[in-house]
Amino acid sequence: MTGPVPLPQGPYTPRAVPLGLTGPGAASLTSRTVFSAAHVVADPYADISPDDPAAVDWDATLAFRRHLWAHGLGVAEAMDTAQRGMGLDWAGAAELIRRSAAEARAVGGRIACGVGTDQLPPTGEVTLAQVRGAYEQQLALAEEHGVQPILMASRALARAASDPEDYLATYAHLLRQASEPVILHWLGPMFDPALEGYWGSADLDEATDTFLKVIAEHPDKVDGIKISLLDAAREIDVRRRLPGGVRCYTGDDFNYPELIAGDERGFSHALLGIFDPLGPLAAHAVRVLDTGDVAGFRALLDPTVELSRHLFQPPTRFYKTGVVFLAWLAGHQDHFTMVGGLQSARSLPHLAKAYQLADGLGLFPDPDLAEYRMRALLAVQGGAR
């Protein structure tokens, strides 16, 4: 390549070498439990429309999970980052769980998977009994394949529930049935507008009280909680109010360095979509934290926040487009096509800025490949300059 890349925001000169990191096969993470919510790779040659069931490139999808496991990260499967409910339906998610669970057993990787209710119709009336039945079906699949369940927030439950008691009763029913401790997931409306008022109230203080009551009544069945509200102060407050032995897994893609580092009263583990593109760097940073070097950990992760805030900017639910885009630039897949056609959900200037920020961090194993692909995208979408 010669000359700066003509990005919409102005010419950019790429960095010459990637950031030097501890490679695959390094020591396990010890001070924090860290999951990366992983994306799926579409089959670009499938002759389907955006309304058809997703066509997944299973080889590339599983290869990316092996990449994360090789760096010591756990995989949070079939979650929001995998376009659950935004291109990937329950049938596709179930197959993803089956295949990833088998792959995890083969390589000794840690895995947890999303359990929800997305086999129910997306609109119209639904009963609490139907919600419970859908959750039970998905919980049974997770347990059958030996993966830790993550009880995801349910659009159907948000429609069916009339008050906090309906949430308390539904989750109590599910937790009694779970054979092993689960992770509870509170996904905010910035990620999914259909979840507005979850836990029975639009008042976050009231919703938080209901959420904590579920945990307090069943602490032996809750391994931890994942909070995705992009509100560090609220997460810290909830973390300090958890029963002993219940972990907090941060889902805050805006404030993760400070939340994982913690304070004198505790810290958060992690279950993050941003750790899909940041996987090797995130694992390296946690290994530094394992030695007690908080400053070194922050020095590695703090500079990544600008990229994360860019990818997760409103409409936040379209962050998946940036995640897959960076996976393509990094060489983890051969194309920038997404299930449901979601590659069109972010603008060319947004993607160009993501490239510039990621390259500046040294995230691309092969900067020349990333530059070549960025120039190709600009030529196709932006025209010659």
Side-chain angles (χ1 to χ4, degrees), residues 1-40:
M1 308 294 170
T2 58
V5 180
L7 302 181
Q9 60 268 31
Y12 171 70
T13 301
R15 70 183 283 158
V17 295
L19 184 66
L21 297 172
T22 306
S28 300
L29 311 182
T30 57
S31 64
R32 305 290 188 272
T33 299
V34 181
F35 290 97
S36 166
H39 73 280
V40 293

Side-chain angles (χ1 to χ4, degrees), residues 31-374:
S31 64
R32 305 290 188 272
T33 299
V34 181
F35 290 97
S36 166
H39 73 280
V40 293
V41 183
D43 178 355
Y45 294 114
D47 186 12
I48 58 173
S49 76
D51 294 329
D52 291 330
V56 177
D57 181 337
W58 293 112
D59 289 342
T61 293
L62 295 175
F64 188 76
R65 280 135 183 82
R66 290 194 297 272
H67 154 73
L68 294 172
W69 284 319
H71 284 277
L73 300 171
V75 168
E77 189 56 275
M79 301 288 289
D80 186 57
T81 306
Q83 294 181 243
R84 188 81 178 264
M86 289 186 68
L88 189 72
D89 61 12
W90 165 237
E95 184 64 15
L96 180 61
I97 291 167
R98 294 185 191 100
R99 289 175 181 256
S100 291
E103 200 72 21
R105 288 193 298 272
V107 303
R110 182 164 187 164
I111 186 170
C113 75
V115 166
T117 63
D118 46 335
Q119 67 270 57
L120 296 174
T123 59
E125 292 187 5
V126 62
T127 67
L128 291 172
Q130 289 173 315
V131 170
R132 289 194 300 270
Y135 264 128
E136 288 169 347
Q137 179 188 4
Q138 297 197 17
L139 181 61
L141 178 76
E143 294 186 339
E144 175 188 349
H145 291 278
V147 298
Q148 183 177 22
I150 303 169
L151 291 187
M152 302 170 68
S154 162
R155 295 173 181 173
L157 180 55
R159 297 203 314 272
S162 57
D163 54 37
E165 291 302 319
D166 286 339
Y167 286 89
L168 291 169
T170 299
Y171 278 90
H173 175 84
L174 296 170
L175 290 172
R176 283 194 298 267
Q177 292 201 20
S179 60
E180 300 291 339
V182 308
I183 298 172
L184 296 181
H185 186 193
W186 184 359
L187 191 69
M190 68 288 293
F191 288 94
D192 187 343
L195 299 177
E196 182 71 46
Y198 209 74
W199 303 110
S201 178
D203 183 301
L204 283 179
D205 291 335
E206 294 179 4
T208 298
D209 289 342
T210 302
F211 181 55
L212 287 168
K213 188 174 182 180
V214 169
I215 301 162
E217 292 180 351
H218 307 275
D220 59 321
K221 288 298 186 74
V222 180
D223 163 70
I225 61 167
K226 168 177 160 59
I227 306 178
S228 299
L229 299 176
L230 305 182
D231 182 340
R234 184 167 297 277
E235 177 173 323
I236 292 170
D237 174 65
V238 171
R239 186 174 77 195
R240 291 174 177 173
R241 295 165 64 185
L242 291 174
V246 177
R247 310 182 202 198
C248 180
Y249 294 92
T250 187
D252 188 330
D253 300 278
F254 283 6
N255 304 291
Y256 51 93
E258 65 184 88
L259 292 165
I260 297 170
D263 55 30
E264 68 282 356
R265 296 179 60 184
F267 58 82
S268 294
H269 300 271
L271 199 165
L272 288 161
I274 191 57
F275 281 5
D276 180 303
L278 293 184
L281 175 55
H284 180 70
V286 173
R287 288 190 182 92
V288 171
L289 185 61
D290 289 345
T291 70
D293 185 359
V294 176
F297 167 80
R298 295 293 299 267
L300 286 164
L301 271 199
D302 281 359
T304 69
V305 171
E306 183 181 4
L307 171 63
S308 189
R309 286 177 176 256
H310 176 72
L311 295 181
F312 285 78
Q313 70 183 38
T316 301
R317 63 189 181 278
F318 294 129
Y319 76 88
K320 280 81 82 173
T321 301
V323 165
V324 174
F325 172 67
L326 294 181
W328 172 56
L329 294 183
H332 293 297
Q333 55 194 78
D334 295 331
H335 59 85
F336 178 39
T337 300
M338 298 176 66
V339 299
L342 208 65
Q343 67 272 9
S344 64
R346 291 296 202 189
S347 69
L348 183 62
H350 177 91
L351 297 175
K353 182 67 173 179
Y355 161 72
Q356 182 177 348
L357 291 172
D359 182 73
L361 291 167
L363 294 184
F364 300 127
D366 184 344
D368 287 342
L369 174 65
E371 179 185 346
Y372 173 80
R373 290 182 169 181
M374 187 69 239

